[in-house]
Amino acid sequence: MEETVAQVWPLVNPFAKRESHTQRSLLAYKILTVASWFLVHVVNIHYGFNAPAGDTSGHSIWEQNRLHPTPFSLNPAIVDIYWIVILVLQIYYLFILWSSNADDVTPAANVGSHFIINNLLQFAFVMLWVHQFHGHFWVAELMLIINFFNLTFLYFRHSRMPRVIHIAIVSGPLAWNFVAIFWCGAAMVNAQHLAARILANIAVWGILGYGLFFLAAFKDYTMGFELSILAASLGVHQFFMKVFSLQWIFAFTIMAVLFFATLAISIPGIFGKEFSIRREGDIVDADRERQPLLDDA
């Protein structure tokens, strides 16, 4: 029985990396990927401007951000621009997935399961964020935590891929999800009193530590740049919320440190060899750089 399970599981495991896919499984990946991507972004755009219909206590995404001011409230304009860029890059990933080149399609399909789950969890988070009922922020936070593990597993499982797809599918959503955990968590506990603000002044440095980890360990300057943008969003909003506050000063400091650390890592990578996010010193050579969505050796 154990041998049977061991033999069957790799065949049915949706997260397994495969050398090839059947036409049926490829079609399923393509349809589910596009459908989940379309679903989450239509919901994001709609609730970015509108409150839930029929829910008199619900609010739009950014109205909730305004109604629940916390030390982790974010600037809507910067976050919207961030996600517009991610959305456009994800269209490129979908184009690769639907291409006729099997060498491109197979690795793209290998990350499809994580991408689909990310979309569904993001959809669930948005629906919970905008609707007002008892404990909705707590459940929304749970969705973010689950997705954090999903995206982290994706990051380390599929470590070599072109920068554009890495940003669109892996590092962009992961950086956002990490910051969103603070954003939603602060709203969840109504972090407006002095003790909560002091704790937030400490917790915000987690963004710097998280970014420096990826810069130092994997030379992944995409994570550093993305987290610096999100730190800027935090700093701008906190400045206009409360000028006499440490949070915006800390946020801008984190932004600056990550930005300049990212430049120190990225400039040699841009003008030299491509980076590898698998392990320090494991550089992808020029020939492999041209291959899309490379699996681990």
Side-chain angles (χ1 to χ4, degrees):
M1 180 64 179
E2 292 181 359
E3 292 183 358
T4 302
V5 172
Q7 293 171 353
V8 172
W9 175 242
L11 300 177
V12 299
N13 179 12
F15 303 105
K17 291 193 290 185
R18 297 181 172 86
E19 296 298 326
S20 63
H21 294 269
T22 65
Q23 289 298 318
R24 183 176 181 180
S25 64
L26 275 178
L27 181 61
Y29 274 123
K30 291 176 179 180
I31 293 174
L32 291 174
T33 298
V34 172
S36 63
W37 175 86
F38 185 78
L39 173 68
V40 69
H41 286 300
V42 166
V43 166
N44 281 338
I45 293 170
H46 175 73
Y47 288 127
F49 298 97
N50 304 290
D55 185 355
T56 56
S57 60
H59 304 284
S60 69
I61 294 172
W62 295 119
E63 184 65 8
Q64 288 282 41
N65 184 68
R66 187 187 69 82
L67 292 173
H68 296 84
T70 73
F72 284 101
S73 295
L74 301 170
N75 178 263
I78 296 177
V79 174
D80 285 343
I81 293 171
Y82 179 92
W83 270 108
I84 288 171
V85 174
I86 297 296
L87 185 152
V88 171
L89 296 181
Q90 287 178 349
I91 293 175
Y92 175 74
Y93 165 73
L94 297 177
F95 176 79
I96 292 292
L97 184 62
W98 282 83
S99 70
S100 57
N101 188 336
D103 292 335
D104 293 348
V105 173
T106 298
N110 282 339
V111 301
S113 296
H114 290 284
F115 184 58
I116 293 166
I117 290 176
N118 168 68
N119 291 336
L120 295 177
L121 289 172
Q122 283 287 345
F123 167 77
F125 164 73
V126 171
M127 296 299 291
L128 290 162
W129 176 264
V130 300
H131 285 84
Q132 196 84 16
F133 59 88
H134 181 69
H136 67 119
F137 284 142
W138 291 84
V139 185
E141 183 77 354
L142 177 62
M143 296 298 104
L144 290 173
I145 292 171
I146 294 173
N147 201 24
F148 176 76
F149 286 106
N150 168 56
L151 292 171
T152 300
F153 185 74
L154 169 60
Y155 188 101
F156 291 106
R157 180 65 171 163
H158 299 274
S159 58
R160 294 189 183 121
M161 56 187 69
R163 258 192 302 265
V164 171
I165 297 178
H166 175 67
I167 294 169
I169 306 302
V170 188
S171 67
L174 178 58
W176 160 253
N177 199 92
F178 182 78
V179 173
I181 288 175
F182 291 102
W183 180 43
C184 182
M188 176 182 73
V189 298
N190 193 27
Q192 299 182 24
H193 49 82
L194 178 60
R197 298 197 70 87
I198 293 173
L199 182 60
N201 291 159
I202 299 171
V204 71
W205 293 100
I207 298 174
L208 177 63
Y210 194 63
L212 291 179
F213 166 75
F214 286 99
L215 287 170
F218 307 109
K219 294 183 170 61
D220 186 357
Y221 48 84
T222 67
M223 284 291 289
F225 187 62
E226 289 151 1
L227 287 169
S228 69
I229 293 172
L230 295 170
S233 172
L234 176 63
V236 169
H237 197 79
Q238 294 301 311
F239 176 79
F240 286 108
M241 273 182 55
K242 193 172 183 180
V243 175
F244 298 102
S245 166
L246 291 174
Q247 192 73 345
W248 67 266
I249 298 174
F250 290 163
F252 282 132
T253 302
I254 291 167
M255 176 204 72
V257 172
L258 285 176
F259 180 75
F260 287 110
T262 298
L263 287 182
I265 295 294
S266 63
I267 290 177
I270 291 172
F271 294 101
K273 293 183 177 180
E274 176 62 283
F275 75 101
S276 166
I277 61 170
R278 178 65 176 178
R279 52 187 176 272
E280 186 173 3
D282 188 4
I283 305 298
V284 178
D285 59 38
D287 290 334
R288 300 197 68 181
E289 181 184 357
R290 289 191 290 269
Q291 301 179 40
L293 286 167
L294 292 175
D295 288 339
D296 291 335

